[in-house]
Amino acid sequence: MRTQTGAFLRAIIMGPPGSGKGTVSSRIVDKFSFHHLSSGDLLRHHIRSDTQLGREAKEFITKGLLVPDTLVTKLILSELSTVEQKRQLLDGFPRTVIQAKELDQNYDIDIIVNLDVPFDTITDRISKRWIHASSGRTYNLDFNPPKVSGKDDETGEDLVQRDDDKPESVMQRLQTYSELTSPLLDYYAAQDKVASFSGTETNVIWPRVEEFLKSRTE
């Protein structure tokens, strides 16, 4: 795999919902001093700050529409132009080949860190998540089960499962993710830029990601 060595590195992290991407991203930022650029976080920041881009995005969101690719691309490119850190981690962008091509016209991408977690594992993990609605306390039947089945530890009230945590909803989200990202992974694989890390547990995947990035940043 060919990539730039030394201090500079611009990477994209990819992984389906529930793959542990948030945890791995935070570890990359902490361990290797990357500047984390999350498209979702940036959108929320611009909307809160009432910037021109934020106002444009809010118009679509308030109508229940997806923010257009062109606007998200403009947002990311604008942010990249202000980043002084030499190591950058893009998260949630690009989502389409069209976005990737526009990004390539402005900035070189060195590597794609792709978290390859089986969909069955993710579905099982997320479908075991239950919450206490009024407080937001979250339980997992495997990793953090309630003391009494189906009841909140502090109040004894019933736990509920969000609709989008139910197995059928999770699988639908994963299928949508696959349909969107498969062409994107193919696009970057053709440039020999994809490093995939397979596994079912974040703590097993992370050491391999860490070793890989260490070899690219020394």
Side-chain angles (χ1 to χ4, degrees), residues 39-107:
S39 57
D41 289 347
L42 279 174
L43 268 175
R44 288 185 286 272
H45 170 74
H46 277 265
I47 290 170
R48 285 196 305 269
S49 302
D50 197 33
T51 66
Q52 178 61 36
L53 286 173
R55 288 192 293 272
E56 291 179 39
K58 191 174 182 179
E59 286 183 16
F60 291 95
I61 293 172
T62 54
K63 294 176 183 176
L65 302 173
L66 291 174
V67 179
D69 282 358
T70 52
L71 185 54
V72 177
T73 301
K74 188 187 301 183
L75 180 74
I76 294 292
L77 293 180
S78 172
E79 184 71 15
L80 279 171
S81 68
T82 68
V83 175
E84 295 183 357
Q85 278 178 261
K86 291 184 176 180
R87 297 176 184 171
Q88 301 157 18
L89 182 68
L90 277 67
D91 182 356
F93 180 91
R95 290 184 182 271
T96 66
V97 173
I98 292 174
Q99 287 181 331
K101 288 181 176 179
E102 188 159 355
L103 178 62
D104 281 350
Q105 290 173 5
N106 293 273
Y107 296 95

Side-chain angles (χ1 to χ4, degrees), residues 78-198:
S78 172
E79 184 71 15
L80 279 171
S81 68
T82 68
V83 175
E84 295 183 357
Q85 278 178 261
K86 291 184 176 180
R87 297 176 184 171
Q88 301 157 18
L89 182 68
L90 277 67
D91 182 356
F93 180 91
R95 290 184 182 271
T96 66
V97 173
I98 292 174
Q99 287 181 331
K101 288 181 176 179
E102 188 159 355
L103 178 62
D104 281 350
Q105 290 173 5
N106 293 273
Y107 296 95
D108 292 328
I109 298 299
D110 297 298
I111 54 171
I112 315 301
V113 175
N114 179 48
L115 306 183
D116 181 19
V117 179
F119 284 2
D120 287 348
T121 297
I122 293 172
T123 302
D124 184 62
R125 182 186 300 165
I126 294 178
S127 64
K128 290 181 178 177
R129 184 165 60 194
W130 290 74
I131 65 168
H132 178 238
S134 60
S135 70
R137 277 186 291 276
T138 302
Y139 299 86
N140 184 285
L141 300 185
D142 283 342
F143 310 119
N144 179 37
K147 295 174 182 176
V148 177
S149 179
K151 301 293 183 180
D152 177 51
D153 286 353
E154 295 190 19
T155 66
E157 295 172 348
D158 288 342
L159 300 177
V160 297
Q161 187 173 48
R162 300 186 311 181
D163 286 342
D164 58 359
D165 283 348
K166 294 178 180 177
E168 58 273 16
S169 298
V170 175
M171 187 54 70
Q172 181 59 52
R173 293 209 311 275
L174 293 173
Q175 289 171 348
T176 300
Y177 171 85
S178 181
E179 290 168 3
L180 284 173
T181 57
S182 288
L184 190 59
L185 283 171
D186 289 343
Y187 173 78
Y188 283 119
Q191 301 176 43
D192 197 24
K193 292 183 177 180
V194 177
S196 288
F197 301 90
S198 302

